[in-house]
Amino acid sequence: MEFDRLKGKFTIQQVKMLNPLVLAFIGDAIYEVFIRTYLVDKNRELSVHKLHIEAISFVKAHAQSDFMKFLEDKLTEDELIIFKRGRNSKSGTVPKNADLQEYRIATGFESLLGFLYLTEQIERLNYFLNMIVCLKENNK
């Protein structure tokens, strides 16, 4: 499947109507691929196990919650609405290693990424993803 086939499939209005957990489903995948690609690029000599451990430090709910707290004041009105819809969604079970509040904020974060991806706001998506990488690098 070519990514070009996805171009123009969703209008902003259609994406706004999607369940925020569907947006989080997409956002989670986009975030995971970005982080894994970043880590492989920066650490080509690491084993898969060590790459996985590094990836966890970016993708766990606690980290996503911290990133979102840093990014929240940089959101547009539409982005903030999407984030809050995702954060306030009832998703069922919370992973045993996550606190409920952090998990909900992480879900809002993933919803935001899914929204930006599906609405083809790639520059804005890259802005946030690169800001996260810089934040993580500066806090090592």
Side-chain angles (χ1 to χ4, degrees):
M1 182 167 152
E2 295 177 23
F3 285 110
D4 283 345
R5 291 186 183 184
L6 298 177
K7 271 185 119 27
K9 292 292 183 188
F10 298 94
T11 65
I12 290 178
Q13 216 35 49
Q14 289 170 328
V15 175
K16 285 181 178 180
M17 299 301 292
L18 290 173
N19 182 318
L21 296 177
V22 171
L23 295 177
F25 172 75
I26 295 292
D28 176 61
I30 295 303
Y31 186 58
E32 183 83 26
V33 168
F34 175 84
I35 292 302
R36 287 181 179 205
T37 304
Y38 163 76
L39 290 173
V40 168
D41 181 47
K42 296 293 182 194
N43 305 284
R44 295 175 190 224
E45 73 291 341
L46 287 184
S47 68
V48 172
H49 176 72
K50 288 181 180 174
L51 287 167
H52 176 71
I53 300 300
E54 274 295 308
I56 289 171
S57 74
F58 280 91
V59 301
K60 63 184 176 182
H62 176 76
Q64 289 182 6
S65 175
D66 284 348
F67 295 145
M68 194 61 230
K69 289 173 187 171
F70 177 77
L71 299 175
E72 193 169 357
D73 66 336
K74 295 158 183 56
L75 301 180
T76 66
E77 187 176 330
D78 276 351
E79 292 166 349
L80 187 59
I81 289 168
I82 294 295
F83 162 69
K84 286 181 178 180
R85 282 184 57 219
R87 182 196 63 196
N88 297 335
S89 301
K90 305 291 185 254
S91 60
T93 60
V94 176
K96 62 183 173 203
N97 59 348
D99 148 294
L100 177 62
Q101 184 178 2
E102 288 178 338
Y103 182 71
R104 287 200 170 156
I105 293 170
T107 301
F109 169 75
E110 291 174 346
S111 297
L112 171 64
L113 299 183
F115 170 77
L116 293 173
Y117 176 76
L118 288 178
T119 57
E120 300 177 18
Q121 296 181 60
I122 304 306
E123 281 186 36
R124 190 73 172 153
L125 180 61
N126 281 326
Y127 170 75
F128 288 127
L129 293 174
N130 287 311
M131 191 176 289
I132 287 164
V133 166
C134 289
L135 183 64
K136 182 81 167 159
E137 286 177 350
N138 291 334
N139 286 331
K140 279 191 173 180

